[in-house]
PDB file of all heavy atoms in Angstrom:
ATOM      1  N   LEU T   8      64.643 104.011 127.433  1.00  0.00           N
ATOM      2  CA  LEU T   8      65.401 103.401 128.522  1.00  0.00           C
ATOM      3  C   LEU T   8      64.477 103.060 129.683  1.00  0.00           C
ATOM      4  O   LEU T   8      63.685 103.887 130.117  1.00  0.00           O
ATOM      5  CB  LEU T   8      66.517 104.334 128.983  1.00  0.00           C
ATOM      6  CG  LEU T   8      67.522 104.749 127.912  1.00  0.00           C
ATOM      7  CD1 LEU T   8      68.540 105.724 128.493  1.00  0.00           C
ATOM      8  CD2 LEU T   8      68.216 103.550 127.314  1.00  0.00           C
ATOM      9  N   CYS T   9      64.594 101.835 130.173  1.00  0.00           N
ATOM     10  CA  CYS T   9      63.767 101.370 131.294  1.00  0.00           C
ATOM     11  C   CYS T   9      64.660 100.832 132.402  1.00  0.00           C
ATOM     12  O   CYS T   9      65.774 100.379 132.157  1.00  0.00           O
ATOM     13  CB  CYS T   9      62.803 100.282 130.820  1.00  0.00           C
ATOM     14  SG  CYS T   9      61.564 100.875 129.668  1.00  0.00           S
ATOM     15  N   ASP T  10      64.144 100.842 133.600  1.00  0.00           N
ATOM     16  CA  ASP T  10      64.847 100.345 134.773  1.00  0.00           C
ATOM     17  C   ASP T  10      65.038  98.837 134.649  1.00  0.00           C
ATOM     18  O   ASP T  10      64.085  98.100 134.362  1.00  0.00           O
ATOM     19  CB  ASP T  10      64.029 100.680 136.020  1.00  0.00           C
ATOM     20  CG  ASP T  10      64.704 100.304 137.311  1.00  0.00           C
ATOM     21  OD1 ASP T  10      65.739  99.614 137.293  1.00  0.00           O
ATOM     22  OD2 ASP T  10      64.187 100.706 138.367  1.00  0.00           O
ATOM     23  N   ALA T  11      66.257  98.376 134.903  1.00  0.00           N
ATOM     24  CA  ALA T  11      66.567  96.951 134.811  1.00  0.00           C
ATOM     25  C   ALA T  11      65.832  96.122 135.858  1.00  0.00           C
ATOM     26  O   ALA T  11      65.747  94.902 135.743  1.00  0.00           O
ATOM     27  CB  ALA T  11      68.074  96.729 134.933  1.00  0.00           C
ATOM     28  N   ASN T  12      65.279  96.763 136.876  1.00  0.00           N
ATOM     29  CA  ASN T  12      64.554  96.050 137.926  1.00  0.00           C
ATOM     30  C   ASN T  12      63.063  95.925 137.634  1.00  0.00           C
ATOM     31  O   ASN T  12      62.340  95.314 138.414  1.00  0.00           O
ATOM     32  CB  ASN T  12      64.764  96.742 139.271  1.00  0.00           C
ATOM     33  CG  ASN T  12      66.209  96.681 139.706  1.00  0.00           C
ATOM     34  OD1 ASN T  12      66.836  95.632 139.643  1.00  0.00           O
ATOM     35  ND2 ASN T  12      66.761  97.811 140.109  1.00  0.00           N
ATOM     36  N   GLN T  13      62.597  96.506 136.532  1.00  0.00           N
ATOM     37  CA  GLN T  13      61.172  96.425 136.185  1.00  0.00           C
ATOM     38  C   GLN T  13      60.784  95.006 135.816  1.00  0.00           C
ATOM     39  O   GLN T  13      61.561  94.265 135.226  1.00  0.00           O
ATOM     40  CB  GLN T  13      60.864  97.321 134.977  1.00  0.00           C
ATOM     41  CG  GLN T  13      60.636  98.756 135.315  1.00  0.00           C
ATOM     42  CD  GLN T  13      60.207  99.543 134.101  1.00  0.00           C
ATOM     43  OE1 GLN T  13      61.033 100.194 133.502  1.00  0.00           O
ATOM     44  NE2 GLN T  13      58.942  99.486 133.751  1.00  0.00           N
ATOM     45  N   GLU T  14      59.568  94.667 136.155  1.00  0.00           N
ATOM     46  CA  GLU T  14      59.014  93.381 135.734  1.00  0.00           C
ATOM     47  C   GLU T  14      58.622  93.479 134.261  1.00  0.00           C
ATOM     48  O   GLU T  14      58.296  94.557 133.769  1.00  0.00           O
ATOM     49  CB  GLU T  14      57.783  93.046 136.579  1.00  0.00           C
ATOM     50  CG  GLU T  14      58.090  92.823 138.043  1.00  0.00           C
ATOM     51  CD  GLU T  14      58.934  91.589 138.288  1.00  0.00           C
ATOM     52  OE1 GLU T  14      58.748  90.581 137.588  1.00  0.00           O
ATOM     53  OE2 GLU T  14      59.797  91.649 139.184  1.00  0.00           O
ATOM     54  N   VAL T  15      58.625  92.357 133.584  1.00  0.00           N
ATOM     55  CA  VAL T  15      58.299  92.327 132.159  1.00  0.00           C
ATOM     56  C   VAL T  15      56.939  92.948 131.885  1.00  0.00           C
ATOM     57  O   VAL T  15      56.776  93.737 130.948  1.00  0.00           O
ATOM     58  CB  VAL T  15      58.344  90.881 131.606  1.00  0.00           C
ATOM     59  CG1 VAL T  15      57.793  90.820 130.199  1.00  0.00           C
ATOM     60  CG2 VAL T  15      59.761  90.348 131.648  1.00  0.00           C
ATOM     61  N   ASP T  16      55.954  92.632 132.709  1.00  0.00           N
ATOM     62  CA  ASP T  16      54.597  93.126 132.444  1.00  0.00           C
ATOM     63  C   ASP T  16      54.448  94.636 132.654  1.00  0.00           C
ATOM     64  O   ASP T  16      53.437  95.222 132.285  1.00  0.00           O
ATOM     65  CB  ASP T  16      53.551  92.364 133.248  1.00  0.00           C
ATOM     66  CG  ASP T  16      53.769  92.443 134.749  1.00  0.00           C
ATOM     67  OD1 ASP T  16      54.777  93.023 135.193  1.00  0.00           O
ATOM     68  OD2 ASP T  16      52.925  91.910 135.483  1.00  0.00           O
ATOM     69  N   SER T  17      55.474  95.288 133.230  1.00  0.00           N
ATOM     70  CA  SER T  17      55.402  96.741 133.391  1.00  0.00           C
ATOM     71  C   SER T  17      56.181  97.490 132.303  1.00  0.00           C
ATOM     72  O   SER T  17      56.178  98.718 132.276  1.00  0.00           O
ATOM     73  CB  SER T  17      55.910  97.156 134.776  1.00  0.00           C
ATOM     74  OG  SER T  17      57.298  96.912 134.877  1.00  0.00           O
ATOM     75  N   LEU T  18      56.825  96.773 131.401  1.00  0.00           N
ATOM     76  CA  LEU T  18      57.543  97.415 130.296  1.00  0.00           C
ATOM     77  C   LEU T  18      56.539  97.871 129.237  1.00  0.00           C
ATOM     78  O   LEU T  18      55.541  97.195 128.993  1.00  0.00           O
ATOM     79  CB  LEU T  18      58.543  96.441 129.667  1.00  0.00           C
ATOM     80  CG  LEU T  18      59.691  95.980 130.551  1.00  0.00           C
ATOM     81  CD1 LEU T  18      60.476  94.869 129.867  1.00  0.00           C
ATOM     82  CD2 LEU T  18      60.598  97.146 130.904  1.00  0.00           C
ATOM     83  N   PRO T  19      56.811  98.993 128.577  1.00  0.00           N
ATOM     84  CA  PRO T  19      55.882  99.505 127.552  1.00  0.00           C
ATOM     85  C   PRO T  19      56.029  98.757 126.218  1.00  0.00           C
ATOM     86  O   PRO T  19      56.352  99.343 125.189  1.00  0.00           O
ATOM     87  CB  PRO T  19      56.291 100.978 127.440  1.00  0.00           C
ATOM     88  CG  PRO T  19      57.744 100.993 127.789  1.00  0.00           C
ATOM     89  CD  PRO T  19      57.919  99.919 128.821  1.00  0.00           C
ATOM     90  N   LEU T  20      55.803  97.455 126.241  1.00  0.00           N
ATOM     91  CA  LEU T  20      56.017  96.615 125.058  1.00  0.00           C
ATOM     92  C   LEU T  20      55.142  97.020 123.879  1.00  0.00           C
ATOM     93  O   LEU T  20      55.582  96.918 122.729  1.00  0.00           O
ATOM     94  CB  LEU T  20      55.774  95.143 125.403  1.00  0.00           C
ATOM     95  CG  LEU T  20      56.769  94.522 126.382  1.00  0.00           C
ATOM     96  CD1 LEU T  20      56.322  93.118 126.764  1.00  0.00           C
ATOM     97  CD2 LEU T  20      58.170  94.512 125.807  1.00  0.00           C
ATOM     98  N   SER T  21      53.948  97.495 124.135  1.00  0.00           N
ATOM     99  CA  SER T  21      53.043  97.839 123.034  1.00  0.00           C
ATOM    100  C   SER T  21      53.554  99.019 122.215  1.00  0.00           C
ATOM    101  O   SER T  21      53.127  99.211 121.075  1.00  0.00           O
ATOM    102  CB  SER T  21      51.642  98.137 123.556  1.00  0.00           C
ATOM    103  OG  SER T  21      51.677  99.266 124.410  1.00  0.00           O
ATOM    104  N   ASP T  22      54.479  99.781 122.771  1.00  0.00           N
ATOM    105  CA  ASP T  22      55.020 100.946 122.076  1.00  0.00           C
ATOM    106  C   ASP T  22      56.268 100.634 121.260  1.00  0.00           C
ATOM    107  O   ASP T  22      56.800 101.521 120.612  1.00  0.00           O
ATOM    108  CB  ASP T  22      55.383 102.040 123.085  1.00  0.00           C
ATOM    109  CG  ASP T  22      54.180 102.571 123.828  1.00  0.00           C
ATOM    110  OD1 ASP T  22      53.052 102.410 123.323  1.00  0.00           O
ATOM    111  OD2 ASP T  22      54.360 103.132 124.916  1.00  0.00           O
ATOM    112  N   ALA T  23      56.785  99.413 121.327  1.00  0.00           N
ATOM    113  CA  ALA T  23      58.085  99.120 120.733  1.00  0.00           C
ATOM    114  C   ALA T  23      58.054  97.896 119.825  1.00  0.00           C
ATOM    115  O   ALA T  23      57.177  97.041 119.939  1.00  0.00           O
ATOM    116  CB  ALA T  23      59.109  98.905 121.838  1.00  0.00           C
ATOM    117  N   THR T  24      59.049  97.843 118.949  1.00  0.00           N
ATOM    118  CA  THR T  24      59.222  96.684 118.065  1.00  0.00           C
ATOM    119  C   THR T  24      60.474  95.902 118.421  1.00  0.00           C
ATOM    120  O   THR T  24      60.696  94.818 117.903  1.00  0.00           O
ATOM    121  CB  THR T  24      59.321  97.123 116.594  1.00  0.00           C
ATOM    122  OG1 THR T  24      60.400  98.053 116.463  1.00  0.00           O
ATOM    123  CG2 THR T  24      58.026  97.760 116.121  1.00  0.00           C
ATOM    124  N   ILE T  25      61.289  96.471 119.316  1.00  0.00           N
ATOM    125  CA  ILE T  25      62.550  95.847 119.724  1.00  0.00           C
ATOM    126  C   ILE T  25      62.664  95.929 121.242  1.00  0.00           C
ATOM    127  O   ILE T  25      62.332  96.946 121.842  1.00  0.00           O
ATOM    128  CB  ILE T  25      63.758  96.569 119.078  1.00  0.00           C
ATOM    129  CG1 ILE T  25      63.642  96.567 117.555  1.00  0.00           C
ATOM    130  CG2 ILE T  25      65.086  95.949 119.518  1.00  0.00           C
ATOM    131  CD1 ILE T  25      64.564  97.552 116.864  1.00  0.00           C
ATOM    132  N   LEU T  26      63.180  94.850 121.844  1.00  0.00           N
ATOM    133  CA  LEU T  26      63.445  94.806 123.283  1.00  0.00           C
ATOM    134  C   LEU T  26      64.884  94.356 123.456  1.00  0.00           C
ATOM    135  O   LEU T  26      65.250  93.267 123.022  1.00  0.00           O
ATOM    136  CB  LEU T  26      62.491  93.840 123.980  1.00  0.00           C
ATOM    137  CG  LEU T  26      62.736  93.553 125.460  1.00  0.00           C
ATOM    138  CD1 LEU T  26      62.658  94.830 126.290  1.00  0.00           C
ATOM    139  CD2 LEU T  26      61.745  92.510 125.975  1.00  0.00           C
ATOM    140  N   ILE T  27      65.707  95.216 124.057  1.00  0.00           N
ATOM    141  CA  ILE T  27      67.113  94.897 124.299  1.00  0.00           C
ATOM    142  C   ILE T  27      67.295  94.703 125.794  1.00  0.00           C
ATOM    143  O   ILE T  27      66.954  95.586 126.588  1.00  0.00           O
ATOM    144  CB  ILE T  27      68.036  96.023 123.784  1.00  0.00           C
ATOM    145  CG1 ILE T  27      67.800  96.228 122.279  1.00  0.00           C
ATOM    146  CG2 ILE T  27      69.492  95.693 124.079  1.00  0.00           C
ATOM    147  CD1 ILE T  27      68.507  97.425 121.704  1.00  0.00           C
ATOM    148  N   VAL T  28      67.838  93.551 126.170  1.00  0.00           N
ATOM    149  CA  VAL T  28      67.901  93.181 127.574  1.00  0.00           C
ATOM    150  C   VAL T  28      69.329  92.832 127.959  1.00  0.00           C
ATOM    151  O   VAL T  28      69.981  92.015 127.301  1.00  0.00           O
ATOM    152  CB  VAL T  28      66.989  91.964 127.847  1.00  0.00           C
ATOM    153  CG1 VAL T  28      66.966  91.641 129.317  1.00  0.00           C
ATOM    154  CG2 VAL T  28      65.593  92.228 127.337  1.00  0.00           C
ATOM    155  N   GLY T  29      69.797  93.448 129.045  1.00  0.00           N
ATOM    156  CA  GLY T  29      71.139  93.199 129.549  1.00  0.00           C
ATOM    157  C   GLY T  29      71.187  92.055 130.538  1.00  0.00           C
ATOM    158  O   GLY T  29      70.155  91.485 130.915  1.00  0.00           O
ATOM    159  N   PRO T  30      72.393  91.728 130.979  1.00  0.00           N
ATOM    160  CA  PRO T  30      72.605  90.569 131.857  1.00  0.00           C
ATOM    161  C   PRO T  30      71.803  90.586 133.157  1.00  0.00           C
ATOM    162  O   PRO T  30      71.338  89.549 133.614  1.00  0.00           O
ATOM    163  CB  PRO T  30      74.107  90.617 132.152  1.00  0.00           C
ATOM    164  CG  PRO T  30      74.699  91.392 131.035  1.00  0.00           C
ATOM    165  CD  PRO T  30      73.640  92.376 130.618  1.00  0.00           C
ATOM    166  N   LYS T  31      71.603  91.753 133.781  1.00  0.00           N
ATOM    167  CA  LYS T  31      70.883  91.799 135.062  1.00  0.00           C
ATOM    168  C   LYS T  31      69.452  91.295 134.913  1.00  0.00           C
ATOM    169  O   LYS T  31      68.968  90.527 135.728  1.00  0.00           O
ATOM    170  CB  LYS T  31      70.866  93.218 135.625  1.00  0.00           C
ATOM    171  CG  LYS T  31      69.932  93.366 136.821  1.00  0.00           C
ATOM    172  CD  LYS T  31      70.563  94.040 137.964  1.00  0.00           C
ATOM    173  CE  LYS T  31      69.665  94.341 139.119  1.00  0.00           C
ATOM    174  NZ  LYS T  31      68.876  93.309 139.678  1.00  0.00           N
ATOM    175  N   ALA T  32      68.791  91.713 133.859  1.00  0.00           N
ATOM    176  CA  ALA T  32      67.407  91.276 133.643  1.00  0.00           C
ATOM    177  C   ALA T  32      67.338  89.792 133.304  1.00  0.00           C
ATOM    178  O   ALA T  32      66.294  89.164 133.467  1.00  0.00           O
ATOM    179  CB  ALA T  32      66.763  92.101 132.533  1.00  0.00           C
ATOM    180  N   LEU T  33      68.448  89.244 132.841  1.00  0.00           N
ATOM    181  CA  LEU T  33      68.469  87.822 132.469  1.00  0.00           C
ATOM    182  C   LEU T  33      68.960  86.926 133.598  1.00  0.00           C
ATOM    183  O   LEU T  33      69.083  85.724 133.420  1.00  0.00           O
ATOM    184  CB  LEU T  33      69.380  87.625 131.247  1.00  0.00           C
ATOM    185  CG  LEU T  33      68.966  88.370 129.987  1.00  0.00           C
ATOM    186  CD1 LEU T  33      70.014  88.184 128.904  1.00  0.00           C
ATOM    187  CD2 LEU T  33      67.607  87.912 129.518  1.00  0.00           C
ATOM    188  N   ALA T  34      69.226  87.506 134.770  1.00  0.00           N
ATOM    189  CA  ALA T  34      69.800  86.755 135.880  1.00  0.00           C
ATOM    190  C   ALA T  34      68.959  85.534 136.261  1.00  0.00           C
ATOM    191  O   ALA T  34      69.487  84.494 136.634  1.00  0.00           O
ATOM    192  CB  ALA T  34      70.001  87.658 137.084  1.00  0.00           C
ATOM    193  N   ALA T  35      67.655  85.645 136.162  1.00  0.00           N
ATOM    194  CA  ALA T  35      66.775  84.529 136.527  1.00  0.00           C
ATOM    195  C   ALA T  35      66.721  83.462 135.442  1.00  0.00           C
ATOM    196  O   ALA T  35      66.187  82.384 135.664  1.00  0.00           O
ATOM    197  CB  ALA T  35      65.375  85.041 136.817  1.00  0.00           C
ATOM    198  N   GLY T  36      67.253  83.764 134.276  1.00  0.00           N
ATOM    199  CA  GLY T  36      67.264  82.800 133.175  1.00  0.00           C
ATOM    200  C   GLY T  36      66.730  83.406 131.893  1.00  0.00           C
ATOM    201  O   GLY T  36      65.623  83.963 131.884  1.00  0.00           O
ATOM    202  N   ALA T  37      67.522  83.315 130.859  1.00  0.00           N
ATOM    203  CA  ALA T  37      67.149  83.914 129.572  1.00  0.00           C
ATOM    204  C   ALA T  37      65.924  83.250 128.961  1.00  0.00           C
ATOM    205  O   ALA T  37      65.052  83.929 128.416  1.00  0.00           O
ATOM    206  CB  ALA T  37      68.326  83.851 128.605  1.00  0.00           C
TER     207      ALA T  37
END
């Protein structure tokens, strides 16, 4: 679980194979 206010480049993407994103993170455009 990550904070919805985090920037993409601060997410631990290298540790995961799936990224699930809710509406708040998509507010700027999917």
Side-chain angles (χ1 to χ4, degrees):
L8 302 178
C9 293
D10 184 350
N12 295 313
Q13 277 186 261
E14 295 294 323
V15 171
D16 59 356
S17 68
L18 295 172
L20 294 173
S21 63
D22 296 339
T24 57
I25 303 165
L26 173 60
I27 301 172
V28 184
K31 170 131 174 52
L33 299 175

